Amino acid sequence: MNDRQALRVLFASFFRSGLRAKRTRVFILLATVPLLLTLLVRVLEPGEIDGFISNLLLSIYFQLLIPLLALFFGSSVVNEELDGKTLVYLTTVPVRRRAVLLGKFLAALLITALLVGGGFLLSFLAGALHRLGDARAWG
């Protein structure tokens, strides 16, 4: 098996297991908190939604959610294998170690990007849905 095939198989395996993990469900709930806050602000204070999106929503994502996800998934690239005692098995298969690390890293990166991008897009659409048809809003 060449490196590309091994990387593809490892990526698919780690991506599926990452999506099924309980911690991913917790982070999905954490990523929906800004969406719920946006909907709450839109219902309670409709005029304040622009300031909310530009100030609080971006702060939640860039100062809390993205670093938290990066730390968690970055540390779990190797730590899961140490805790589950499967690192020995991964290092004995005829695949380069960098392919294993790269496959796990790319799977964690894609899961993180989907969580952050999906949550941010939904939050933005919830806050700016009423202005999407307005040409002045795009300027």
Side-chain angles (χ1 to χ4, degrees):
M1 181 181 294
N2 65 16
D3 284 344
R4 282 188 180 209
Q5 290 173 335
L7 183 63
R8 192 175 301 129
V9 168
L10 289 167
F11 170 77
S13 172
F14 291 132
F15 184 73
R16 277 192 305 270
S17 68
L19 285 179
R20 283 190 226 125
K22 290 180 184 179
R23 69 177 182 279
T24 305
R25 293 182 191 130
V26 171
F27 284 124
I28 288 172
L29 290 175
L30 188 62
T32 59
V33 168
L35 173 64
L36 297 174
L37 287 174
T38 303
L39 291 173
L40 185 68
V41 167
R42 183 152 186 216
V43 168
L44 296 177
E45 299 287 332
E48 299 292 323
I49 195 70
D50 295 333
F52 177 77
I53 289 176
S54 64
N55 292 330
L56 187 63
L57 193 63
L58 291 176
S59 296
I60 289 172
Y61 274 101
F62 288 112
Q63 292 179 356
L64 177 71
L65 193 61
I66 292 174
L68 184 67
L69 288 171
L71 284 172
F72 186 78
F73 281 116
S75 66
S76 73
V77 167
V78 175
N79 201 20
E80 279 181 358
E81 305 305 326
L82 290 173
D83 289 343
K85 296 183 178 30
T86 56
L87 187 62
V88 174
Y89 301 114
L90 277 177
T91 56
T92 57
V93 295
V95 176
R96 293 186 182 179
R97 288 187 179 116
R98 70 178 128 174
V100 173
L101 286 175
L102 188 60
K104 282 194 71 121
F105 173 75
L106 290 176
L109 181 69
L110 183 61
I111 291 171
T112 303
L114 288 173
L115 285 173
V116 171
F120 189 76
L121 180 68
L122 289 175
S123 297
F124 175 75
L125 287 176
L129 193 59
H130 65 284
R131 294 180 39 184
L132 292 179
D134 187 12
R136 289 179 290 154
W138 290 94

